[in-house]
Amino acid sequence: MKYITVDEMRSMFLKFFESKQHQILPSASLVPQGDASLLLTGAGMVPFKPYFLGQEVPTYKRVTTCQRCLRTPDIDNVGKTDRHGTFFEMLGNFSFGDYFKEEAITWAWEFITEHLELPVDRLWVSVYHDDDEAYEIWTKKIGVSPDKMVRLGKEHNFWEIGVGYPGGPCSEIHFDRGAEHGCDDPNCKPGCDCDRFLEFWNLVFIQYLQVEPGKFEPLASKSIDTGMGMERIAALIQGVKSIFEVDIVRPIIDKIAELAGTSYGADPEKDVSLRVITDHARGLTFLVHDGVLPSNEGRGYVLRRLLRRAARHGRLLGIEGQFLLEVVDVVIEQMKQGYPELEERRDYIHKVVSLEENRFHETLDQGINLLQEIIDQLKAEEKALISGEDVFRLYDTYGFPLELTKEIAAEHGLEIDEAGVTAAMEEQRRKARAARTAADYTNKHGELYKQLLGKVNTEFVGYQHLEYSSKVLALIKDDQFVDQLTAGEQGIVILEKTPFYAEAGGQVADTGTITAKVGQFQVKDVRQPVESIVIHQGVLISGNIKVGEEVLATVSSHERMDIARHHSATHLLHKALRDVLGDHVYQSGSSVDVNRLRFDFTHFEAVTKEQLALVEQKVNEMIMANNSVQVENMSMEEAKAAGAMALFGEKYANEVRVITMGESKELCGGTHVSSTGEIGLFRIISEGSVAAGVRRIEAVAGKQALKYMDEREKILMEIAGNLNTKPENVVDQLNRLLEQQKQLEQELNQLKKALAGDLVEELVKNAEQVANLNLLVTEVDITDHEELRELGDRLRDKLNPAVVFLGAKTSEKVSLLGMASKNTNVHVGNVIKEAAKLCGGGGGGRPDMAQAGGRMPEKLDEALAKAKELVLEQLKVSP
Ligand code: SER
């Protein structure tokens, strides 16, 4: 076999299919776009789901890609074997309702035998057990000998991803690595569990939609989805033992080995860690590149798990401190030919990785100690199960991925109570879920929208028009299509053309009215549940509206303008933030509506007051520059070349809309002002953190900014009025007042002290001499604990040797204080305890000092009398 590098293979494959009229598309993000049902892109077909299902019309019917993929089900086995990994690249060719089995099979064979020059005698093919059509093509058209063909069941040769996804029977091509890799079975064939036959290309004949678990419905048109594991085929062709040794992976493993002072293959135990770090470093580099940030939920958790697992294995290898950045750099170096954008985001990737690695090291030691304690205790008690609560605490407080705890537990022969952990996690999620309930009418009517596919293709005319007449194509009420809506009814209106912007890209929907011949519908929300359909949700306020009639759709222009001001302001804010803080700033979320804008962005520390002021100033300067807002449609390549900012991993069509305002240039589908001056004014209201590495700015523009300033102004005027001065003198006046207050407080304290001195003199006179000491039991007028104690101290010192009992009351409560000089034989703590009971309270203290409270002021006299009685008793003096 001829040696081919991964980089060569990538372009050979894409070019081959280009020559078969396929459009080459770049790899999509690891974060599936517009698809909440899937956590990560785990196959080449994922970005094309709507095309297979006929929900969207593809621009190209034949496409070929090299897709970055991440699959986590095997994560526990990564490292333990040299076959498992989470991150990989998948080469694929796709037909959306175009060619089918015959072409897919013919081209696959042509590519591997003529271009990769794989030896035909080592190739085997499997088909789904009842797929005679594929069997015939392979044997008759291609000429594969029947003894190299196997028919396999659902487990091997039927491809499915889950409910809502396309799937179908498939055919796989296998490579015979030789009997020495196999088992003892003389009939060993593809499908056997041993390592002899390596499956490397999967041709899926898409013809079903999975509607329920295990239930499939035929699709209107048949498609092709093929996937060839890049690392697998590369390992075969390059004649190396495993995916970890192919040309773009080996340098990563070697780098880690170098950092750990070892070499790959020298020590089986270390090899496990080397493989874990290698695989995970590839995955985490791309996850961060695609905009995922470490967290305890969803994709963020996958990233955290990969990163922390890699960091921990670094420790197992004896690598001290942070090391992942060096590994990430090798990943970028090896992958940059296929993914040049990695290089552009290197600084950003570094920041996210080093922040999380650092955080992990900080908590790791604490967590490991805690886990060790738990393990020791369990061992002492001869138990083998770590409780769900403990595992959850490690996860929640110390950021230990569950699998890490499991792994460490397993190293000690222990298990974790998974049901207990699930219960604890579920409880936490339940709380989080309760906090967010989405508008559900978009998905609720999924079945209904499906019936409209192909018949309805709402055209959005709202970039140019705020009012448009259009035909009503459908009406929905209570989950059903209806012919009309009548006054008072809630429902959904679907039009042929609409000026209403449907909620998208963080911009809220337009509101307004749809006027029918004899009725008016108030539009409260607008959504786009599938690409081709816009729905207007609201209520009919009068008359009726009927399917088929011409109506006038009118967007509320004031609100549209308020929204546009906020939206355009976010573009300027984005630009200003990058100018002031640096190029690591990327938009990670935004929301604009009539009242305000919210902009989330990547940044790794709080933004200082000075920086914020500068950002605000820059935005206002860009507003005053009154640049016209230019909207252009162009190809993605042109947009990139022009330096337009795109969102992380967002899936863009081939033609994109680019909004330019002065130096700001962004891809965006939203509605904007026509020149920046229309924004009027911009004010930042708050800045804070939303997640690790993500900050949020809330701001207002236009009318809302004026309103915000008016409100502030009003507050200022009121303060000035109360201070009896002009607004410009408020600060001086206030400082003067604060200074005055400080002085007054000092004076007051002095006066209090002087008064207390007089009081002491006064009270001393009431003391009685009993058994060689001075006893003073009296009521005073001081309820503040501190002051009471101070008075007690002074009286005791003055009367030394002395026993002093003071009582004070307000209308609601009683305070008691007992003090005694040393060696008086009186325990004031015991005395006060009894005395306090009489006035409905409790308390106690030391022999020489005690305090108590009570709730019955009318009983204070009794309590003091009791105190005196008890003291005399303790002094053995009869009253
Ligand atoms: N979707 C199939 C797979 O992932 C072929 O691309 O194996």
Side-chain angles (χ1 to χ4, degrees):
M1 277 182 285
K2 66 174 174 190
Y3 186 92
I4 305 172
T5 67
V6 166
D7 287 335
E8 282 162 359
M9 176 110 63
R10 215 183 273 121
S11 65
M12 272 170 83
F13 183 90
L14 298 176
K15 289 223 173 85
F16 173 78
F17 280 100
E18 192 177 38
S19 77
K20 309 285 180 201
Q21 290 75 51
H22 286 62
Q23 173 70 30
I24 302 178
L25 290 183
S27 166
S29 167
L30 283 178
V31 179
Q33 298 301 306
D35 186 353
S37 68
L38 207 60
L39 201 60
L40 293 163
T41 302
M45 54 75 70
V46 167
F48 308 120
K49 171 183 159 190
Y51 304 152
F52 290 119
L53 298 183
Q55 289 169 338
E56 281 175 37
V57 185
T59 321
Y60 309 102
K61 290 195 149 187
R62 298 177 181 189
V63 159
T64 180
T65 60
C66 173
Q67 174 64 46
R68 51 183 178 273
C69 297
L70 207 123
R71 289 185 189 174
T72 51
D74 278 341
I75 189 168
D76 287 336
N77 286 323
V78 173
K80 290 183 191 154
T81 75
D82 60 8
R83 276 177 297 129
H84 291 95
T86 58
F87 179 84
F88 61 98
E89 290 178 88
M90 188 181 269
L91 297 163
N93 55 294
F94 308 91
S95 146
F96 310 122
D98 190 42
Y99 64 83
F100 201 47
K101 290 184 191 178
E102 186 161 337
E103 293 87 335
I105 291 173
T106 310
W107 292 333
W109 192 255
E110 184 184 331
F111 182 70
I112 57 175
T113 56
E114 292 174 27
H115 295 256
L116 299 186
E117 297 175 21
L118 296 183
V120 173
D121 60 333
R122 310 279 291 266
L123 298 175
W124 285 64
V125 172
S126 63
V127 294
Y128 188 49
H129 62 82
D130 64 4
D131 191 351
D132 294 334
E133 190 188 351
Y135 189 90
E136 298 282 297
I137 299 170
W138 279 115
T139 50
K140 303 241 163 77
K141 168 138 201 261
I142 307 292
V144 174
S145 143
D147 50 290
K148 290 281 186 59
M149 295 287 306
V150 242
R151 289 177 187 261
L152 295 173
K154 224 174 161 177
E155 184 195 337
H156 291 281
N157 277 86
F158 192 93
W159 202 77
E160 54 186 301
I161 228 178
V163 173
Y165 269 80
C170 58
S171 178
E172 289 179 311
I173 312 178
H174 310 251
F175 188 88
D176 182 358
R177 302 171 69 207
E180 66 277 20
H181 293 273
C183 54
D184 295 335
D185 183 354
N187 283 325
C188 176
K189 283 182 181 165
C192 175
D193 276 343
C194 76
D195 283 345
R196 175 167 175 179
F197 295 95
L198 187 78
E199 165 257 310
F200 63 91
W201 199 346
N202 187 9
L203 317 180
V204 186
F205 312 126
I206 298 267
Q207 52 196 100
Y208 299 110
L209 165 68
Q210 188 169 1
V211 284
E212 283 171 26
K215 200 174 154 212
F216 294 84
E217 273 178 10
L219 284 165
S221 65
K222 295 175 179 170
S223 297
I224 288 294
D225 150 33
T226 88
M228 172 150 63
M230 168 81 92
E231 293 77 359
R232 278 193 189 184
I233 186 77
L236 277 180
I237 287 190
Q238 297 177 0
V240 292
K241 248 184 74 209
S242 79
I243 53 174
F244 290 92
E245 295 181 53
V246 301
D247 64 331
I248 56 160
V249 185
R250 181 74 204 218
I252 307 171
I253 216 164
D254 286 343
K255 176 73 195 182
I256 306 161
E258 180 199 319
L259 292 171
T262 179
S263 60
Y264 185 51
D267 172 347
E269 214 171 293
K270 289 190 171 161
D271 286 350
V272 172
S273 296
L274 291 173
R275 285 189 291 259
V276 169
I277 303 169
T278 302
D279 169 77
H280 291 6
R282 284 173 17 110
L284 69 91
T285 302
F286 276 98
L287 278 174
V288 176
H289 168 269
D290 285 341
V292 178
L293 285 164
S295 77
N296 275 353
E297 279 276 323
R299 298 171 189 116
Y301 182 56
V302 173
L303 170 58
R304 173 159 284 170
R305 204 168 139 192
L306 292 180
L307 198 149
R308 296 194 166 193
R309 204 158 174 253
R312 178 172 170 269
H313 277 275
R315 283 219 176 177
L316 287 181
L317 286 174
I319 305 177
E320 278 174 22
Q322 291 207 12
F323 71 102
L324 285 175
L325 294 191
E326 287 185 67
V327 185
V328 164
D329 276 341
V330 186
V331 174
I332 295 178
E333 194 54 37
Q334 295 308 316
M335 303 300 280
K336 72 179 183 199
Q337 190 163 339
Y339 308 86
E341 61 275 23
L342 275 178
E343 182 94 82
E344 288 162 29
R345 293 215 169 125
R346 184 195 299 267
D347 285 353
Y348 170 78
I349 298 172
H350 272 198
K351 279 205 169 113
V352 176
V353 171
S354 99
L355 204 74
E356 177 70 5
E357 191 182 6
N358 204 8
R359 199 176 295 132
F360 181 55
H361 281 299
E362 273 167 19
T363 51
L364 185 71
D365 293 323
Q366 286 170 291
I368 284 197
N369 287 342
L370 180 68
L371 183 54
Q372 195 56 49
E373 274 169 32
I374 297 169
I375 290 172
D376 290 346
Q377 176 146 10
L378 284 177
K379 282 190 175 163
E381 291 168 7
E382 293 184 10
K383 289 184 185 154
L385 198 67
I386 306 185
S387 78
E389 238 168 73
D390 281 337
V391 179
F392 185 71
R393 186 152 54 102
L394 279 162
Y395 162 78
D396 209 32
T397 317
Y398 298 93
F400 262 51
L402 305 183
E403 296 67 21
L404 187 57
T405 310
K406 209 158 136 190
E407 211 170 287
I408 299 175
E411 284 163 13
H412 288 86
L414 302 175
E415 285 181 24
I416 64 173
D417 172 11
E418 302 211 22
V421 183
T422 315
M425 303 262 285
E426 198 33 57
E427 177 57 19
Q428 197 192 42
R429 291 212 182 100
R430 194 189 55 73
K431 285 191 200 142
R433 260 199 311 270
R436 53 180 144 85
T437 35
D440 67 347
Y441 48 81
T442 48
N443 290 325
K444 200 165 100 191
H445 302 303
E447 277 309 307
L448 293 182
Y449 302 137
K450 226 189 264 167
Q451 295 177 37
L452 296 178
L453 285 174
K455 295 181 205 138
V456 171
N457 201 344
T458 317
E459 187 189 335
F460 175 60
V461 294
Y463 289 136
Q464 302 85 17
H465 306 276
L466 289 182
E467 193 161 73
Y468 212 80
S469 49
S470 173
K471 201 160 113 188
V472 177
L473 294 183
L475 295 167
I476 296 174
K477 196 190 107 189
D478 298 339
D479 303 345
Q480 281 183 14
F481 288 120
V482 289
D483 291 334
Q484 67 166 354
L485 290 174
T486 53
E489 285 179 346
Q490 305 256 3
I492 284 171
V493 178
I494 297 172
L495 301 176
E496 195 171 29
K497 296 182 178 183
T498 182
F500 282 90
Y501 183 85
E503 180 180 296
Q507 179 179 330
V508 285
D510 282 329
T511 51
T513 52
I514 295 175
T515 311
K517 267 189 213 88
V518 287
Q520 193 161 50
F521 182 81
Q522 189 186 351
V523 178
K524 294 187 170 166
D525 197 4
V526 187
R527 301 284 177 118
Q528 198 169 3
V530 288
E531 179 91 355
S532 54
I533 302 174
V534 174
I535 60 169
H536 307 81
Q537 188 267 336
V539 60
L540 198 78
I541 31 185
S542 64
N544 60 45
I545 184 168
K546 292 182 178 152
V547 172
E549 74 170 307
E550 259 321 289
V551 293
L552 186 67
T554 313
V555 172
S556 158
S557 56
H558 286 299
E559 293 181 359
R560 164 70 81 87
M561 190 62 199
D562 287 340
I563 299 168
R565 286 194 183 97
H566 284 126
H567 199 158
S568 300
T570 60
H571 286 215
L572 302 184
L573 173 61
H574 192 182
K575 171 79 181 109
L577 282 168
R578 287 176 68 89
D579 284 353
V580 173
L581 303 177
D583 284 348
H584 59 277
V585 169
Y586 287 102
Q587 170 172 348
S588 72
S590 80
S591 133
V592 294
D593 59 30
V594 172
N595 297 312
R596 56 139 195 49
L597 68 88
R598 210 182 65 206
F599 188 76
D600 295 347
F601 57 100
T602 49
H603 184 58
F604 306 94
E605 59 214 345
V607 185
T608 65
K609 260 199 215 141
E610 294 72 28
Q611 288 169 329
L612 270 188
L614 194 55
V615 166
E616 193 177 79
Q617 183 192 328
K618 280 187 180 268
V619 173
N620 281 313
E621 278 165 8
M622 291 189 258
I623 291 172
M624 286 183 282
N626 200 19
N627 288 307
S628 70
V629 175
Q630 284 153 25
V631 182
E632 288 160 291
N633 290 322
M634 56 179 90
S635 73
M636 187 68 192
E637 285 71 42
E638 284 168 332
K640 270 195 176 163
M645 295 286 303
L647 284 190
F648 260 138
E650 186 89 38
K651 183 178 140 199
Y652 291 102
N654 263 340
E655 195 177 72
V656 291
R657 191 166 175 261
V658 177
I659 309 285
T660 310
M661 318 178 185
E663 284 180 24
S664 147
K665 201 178 265 299
E666 286 195 30
L667 303 193
C668 177
T671 59
H672 287 273
V673 296
S674 41
S675 62
T676 59
E678 286 173 28
I679 301 171
L681 177 66
F682 171 82
R683 296 307 309 251
I684 292 176
I685 297 179
S686 69
E687 191 275 342
S689 152
V690 252
V694 185
R695 310 290 305 179
R696 168 171 296 172
I697 281 182
E698 287 191 306
V700 281
K703 282 193 288 195
Q704 299 302 333
L706 283 176
K707 193 167 143 210
Y708 175 77
M709 300 212 22
D710 278 352
E711 278 162 8
R712 301 254 137 169
E713 172 96 12
K714 248 187 232 147
I715 297 173
L716 178 63
M717 294 309 284
E718 195 174 329
I719 297 174
N722 289 349
L723 291 178
N724 215 358
T725 184
K726 292 191 214 136
E728 55 270 35
N729 295 337
V730 157
V731 176
D732 283 349
Q733 179 75 335
L734 196 62
N735 285 342
R736 252 200 306 281
L737 278 177
L738 288 174
E739 190 52 39
Q740 235 173 48
Q741 181 178 343
K742 226 199 270 160
Q743 263 175 24
L744 286 174
E745 269 167 14
Q746 274 170 6
E747 278 170 30
L748 183 67
N749 276 339
Q750 276 162 7
L751 280 173
K752 271 188 184 163
K753 270 193 195 137
L755 275 178
D758 290 351
L759 188 62
V760 170
E761 294 306 324
E762 190 63 36
L763 290 175
V764 161
K765 290 182 201 147
N766 297 343
E768 310 170 38
Q769 258 220 303
V770 188
N772 291 335
L773 55 74
N774 293 309
L775 173 62
L776 174 63
V777 181
T778 183
E779 186 182 336
V780 292
D781 213 5
I782 298 172
T783 44
D784 181 83
H785 287 293
E786 272 307 300
E787 285 178 34
L788 194 63
R789 196 163 348 158
E790 229 167 80
L791 180 65
D793 269 341
R794 285 162 157 243
L795 287 167
R796 183 192 52 198
D797 293 348
K798 192 98 187 171
L799 293 168
N800 188 31
V803 172
V804 176
F805 266 92
L806 302 178
K809 63 182 177 199
T810 62
S811 58
E812 284 140 30
K813 62 177 181 92
V814 175
S815 310
L816 291 173
L817 172 87
M819 294 251 181
S821 310
K822 295 263 179 279
N823 308 323
T824 56
N825 291 333
V826 176
H827 191 299
V828 294
N830 291 345
V831 172
I832 214 162
K833 200 150 114 199
E834 291 304 311
K837 277 186 197 158
L838 289 181
C839 47
R846 306 193 309 252
D848 58 341
M849 148 72 198
Q851 268 183 303
R855 291 182 312 276
M856 294 151 70
E858 68 280 9
K859 295 283 179 64
L860 177 62
D861 289 345
E862 262 176 61
L864 286 176
K866 181 75 181 179
K868 184 167 176 183
E869 184 191 321
L870 291 171
V871 172
L872 293 178
E873 223 175 85
Q874 288 195 8
L875 290 170
K876 302 206 170 47
V877 177
S878 47

